[in-house]
């Protein structure tokens, strides 16, 4: 099966890194200049910028130049897509587990009444 990178694949890949998740957590509070965003991280600004590029390339954040600063903000739509996928998968697996539970309960009832399976 060939690998195809969808926007959702790229978003989950971006969120797999703890630095990028920390950036997202900070941006939840509101937009901020890159230099301020980079302060808590023990890395060079070019290294930090690579993390921002991954987040921006997958659509989780957007940035814009304002004067001499670059500002970053979250893009809610990509998060909504990821949340929708997770909700859909949860419903699917909950349904499967409910059917398994019902099946196991029916097997238990059959065994309790002396029937063999």
């Amino acid at each position: 099966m060939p690998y195809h990178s969808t926007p959702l694949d790229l978003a989950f890949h971006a969120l797999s890194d703890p630095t990028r998740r920390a950036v997202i957590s900070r941006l939840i509070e509101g937009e901020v200049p890159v230099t301020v965003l980079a302060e808590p991280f023990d890395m060079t600004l070019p290294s930090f910028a690579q993390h921002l590029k991954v987040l921006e390339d997958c659509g989780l954040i957007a940035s814009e130049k304002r004067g001499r600063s670059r500002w970053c903000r979250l893009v809610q739509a990509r998060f909504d897509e990821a949340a929708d996928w997770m909700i859909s998968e949860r419903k699917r697996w909950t349904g499967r587990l409910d059917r398994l539970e019902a099946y196991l309960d029916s097997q238990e009832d059959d065994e309790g009444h002396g029937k063999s399976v």
Side-chain angles (χ1 to χ4, degrees):
M1 175 178 185
Y3 177 75
H4 299 285
S5 292
T6 67
L8 187 60
D9 295 330
L10 296 172
F12 280 119
H13 166 73
L15 293 171
S16 71
D17 182 87
T19 298
R20 294 191 286 263
R21 287 193 308 271
V23 167
I24 295 298
S25 293
R26 171 52 186 91
L27 289 175
I28 288 170
E29 299 170 20
E31 61 183 341
V32 66
V34 169
T35 53
V36 173
L37 194 56
E39 285 174 0
F41 301 97
D42 186 25
M43 64 180 71
T44 64
L45 197 53
S47 295
F48 185 73
Q50 289 176 348
H51 286 288
L52 296 180
K53 181 173 176 12
V54 171
L55 290 167
E56 195 161 12
D57 286 350
C58 74
L60 289 171
I61 70 169
S63 69
E64 68 177 303
K65 186 87 169 164
R66 293 186 196 161
R68 294 178 14 162
S69 298
R70 179 158 291 281
W71 286 68
C72 294
R73 64 176 171 78
L74 291 180
V75 176
Q76 188 62 45
R78 183 68 69 226
F79 287 97
D80 292 345
E81 289 173 17
D84 290 347
W85 180 84
M86 287 186 280
I87 289 167
S88 172
E89 286 299 301
R90 184 177 188 163
K91 285 179 183 176
R92 187 166 64 103
W93 280 101
T94 298
R96 287 179 172 185
L97 291 172
D98 288 348
R99 288 189 301 277
L100 175 60
E101 181 180 31
Y103 172 76
L104 292 174
D105 286 347
S106 73
Q107 294 301 304
E108 211 172 75
D109 289 346
D110 289 348
E111 288 175 10
H113 291 98
K115 295 181 183 177
S116 63
V117 184

